[in-house]
Amino acid sequence: MLPAQLGRAPRHLLVCERGHARHPRSRHAAHVRDHAYSCRVSFLIPECGMLPEVLKSTMADIGEYYLVRNLPVHELVAHEFIEAFVKKGSCYALTYKTKIDQDNTAALLPNVITIDLTDAGFYPESKKHNRVLWALKEKKPLEFDFLLAWDNTGAEGSTLMSYFSKNQIQALKPKITFSTLRDLQCPVLQSNELQGKAEESCSTEELFEWLGAVLNQVSLDNKSSSFLSTYCCPEPNTVVEKAFLCTITGFIIPEKIIQLLEQLCCYFGEPKLAYWLTLTVHGFADSPVSWRENEHGFHKGGENLYNFVIFRNLDYWLQMAVGAHDDCPP
């Protein structure tokens, strides 16, 4: 007899909403802004074989991020740092190669710093805010390797490279890969049918599962000889001759994702064969927060991601997903 824990499926949350990108009350940009720590961004455009012109400049403007070694946490809240970076743009920091359920971690959002001390022997027994004060003021303060990113559009003054010593900071560029998928089976979607319609269109859940298979290069053939997957594209579906897939990997801040989302909406400014396209964003599995300041844990997978399906008429579906024990996405 299996233990009860093994027989219980992991709990996952998937929240879906529908809107229009040009509606004055649309929340699509706000949802992106509230998800601070993203490590992978992918967009898929059916009936397209190469990077569209409208997206080329956006891809070139993704920008750098930085790895800062042995950085004491208190330096992120120092007056000099706040004046030079936090007040002059959107500054993000996340501890590098720490495990959220096992290690001490820290993170900086544009308006708050969060510290998660998991080592029970590392701080005296006290209230949480006292633990944070202790961590910042200890003679041997908490130090981490941090990933840092800063959106300073229109700002002048110091740069992160000049603020830290050359031996401490390293500039990194996101990795960008392109591929053209041939003869891809795509589900038929209708923007006004979130739940799908029998024999006419697929649901948001079916699209979400299909997209996971495509982004992870899982075969959709449903061959009995396959030991990896017998998954097949949901019905009804159609075969497109080619689809363009771009994936960006690194530390990508919300401001850059909003720019990319806007340009993907502009893609439909001229007549296109594609009826819809997708933008999928994965958060760091070991991020201390998911959306806003909602606590995030790794547990069984660390999932925190969202996906936009943008339709030709600029209706959109937004799907937000987290794993076990996380708060429901906003």
Side-chain angles (χ1 to χ4, degrees):
M1 183 176 179
L2 288 174
Q5 293 87 344
L6 294 179
R8 191 182 304 126
R11 173 175 167 268
H12 300 279
L13 291 172
L14 175 63
V15 175
C16 304
E17 68 176 52
R18 176 173 170 259
H20 191 279
R22 297 295 180 252
H23 192 283
R25 294 186 180 180
S26 175
R27 301 193 302 161
H28 64 284
H31 283 306
V32 175
R33 197 174 292 111
D34 287 341
H35 190 270
Y37 302 113
S38 301
C39 63
R40 188 173 68 177
V41 177
S42 302
F43 60 87
L44 176 72
I45 308 178
E47 303 289 5
C48 176
M50 63 181 64
L51 183 66
E53 289 293 331
V54 72
L55 294 171
K56 286 185 177 179
S57 60
T58 304
M59 300 300 294
D61 191 41
I62 289 296
E64 297 178 326
Y65 62 102
Y66 304 89
L67 174 60
V68 184
R69 301 283 187 184
N70 303 318
L71 178 64
V73 174
H74 67 79
E75 289 196 16
L76 293 177
V77 292
H79 176 77
E80 295 82 0
F81 187 85
I82 292 174
E83 290 295 322
F85 301 105
V86 177
K87 289 187 176 181
K88 292 185 178 180
S90 298
C91 192
Y92 303 84
L94 181 66
T95 47
Y96 180 58
K97 290 189 175 179
T98 53
K99 297 180 179 179
I100 189 63
D101 293 339
Q102 302 176 27
D103 303 329
N104 298 320
T105 62
L108 175 69
L109 294 165
N111 58 352
V112 67
I113 184 169
T114 175
I115 300 175
D116 187 7
L117 302 177
T118 60
D119 185 352
F122 194 78
Y123 48 79
E125 289 299 324
S126 60
K127 293 182 179 179
K128 187 172 182 180
H129 70 275
N130 287 334
R131 295 175 186 171
V132 174
L133 291 174
W134 179 88
L136 294 178
K137 294 180 178 179
E138 175 64 16
K139 291 181 180 178
K140 294 182 179 179
L142 284 171
E143 287 187 358
F144 298 99
D145 292 344
F146 276 94
L147 293 178
L148 275 174
W150 183 44
D151 178 51
N152 63 331
T153 305
E156 297 180 358
S158 299
T159 66
L160 288 168
M161 287 297 291
S162 63
Y163 185 84
F164 297 101
S165 69
K166 292 182 179 180
N167 296 329
Q168 189 180 18
I169 188 170
Q170 176 185 0
L172 302 172
K173 289 187 176 181
K175 179 182 178 182
I176 303 176
T177 60
F178 306 107
S179 60
T180 300
L181 310 180
R182 302 285 181 180
D183 299 323
L184 179 66
Q185 286 182 297
C186 295
V188 173
L189 305 176
Q190 293 182 2
S191 64
N192 61 342
E193 294 288 350
L194 282 169
Q195 301 302 320
K197 199 169 184 179
E199 299 182 359
E200 291 186 18
S201 64
C202 298
S203 68
T204 59
E205 291 86 354
E206 290 173 320
L207 180 279
F208 195 73
E209 186 176 34
W210 170 85
L211 189 59
V214 171
L215 296 182
N216 288 284
Q217 300 180 339
V218 174
S219 172
L220 306 178
D221 294 336
N222 190 22
K223 293 181 179 178
S224 59
S225 59
S226 173
F227 290 95
L228 295 178
S229 171
T230 57
Y231 177 78
C232 59
C233 182
E235 295 183 350
N237 59 61
T238 184
V239 177
V240 300
E241 182 181 352
K242 53 190 176 182
F244 182 80
L245 174 63
C246 174
T247 298
I248 310 163
T249 306
F251 188 4
I252 307 103
I253 61 177
E255 288 76 7
K256 300 300 182 182
I257 298 173
I258 291 172
Q259 291 176 15
L260 177 58
L261 178 59
E262 176 60 26
Q263 291 305 312
L264 286 170
C265 291
C266 292
Y267 175 74
F268 288 118
E270 298 179 359
K272 296 292 190 300
L273 291 175
Y275 182 66
W276 51 264
L277 55 81
T278 66
L279 173 69
T280 309
V281 180
H282 286 80
F284 285 91
D286 287 294
S287 167
V289 294
S290 55
W291 273 268
R292 299 174 184 166
E293 297 168 33
N294 292 342
E295 185 176 353
H296 172 65
F298 184 88
H299 297 286
K300 296 185 179 181
E303 300 92 345
N304 67 107
L305 68 148
Y306 61 91
N307 176 65
F308 281 97
V309 184
I310 304 167
F311 292 89
R312 188 187 295 168
N313 63 357
L314 297 188
D315 281 351
Y316 68 81
W317 294 350
L318 172 58
Q319 303 162 308
M320 299 174 283
V322 291
H325 308 294
D326 275 20
D327 290 337
C328 186

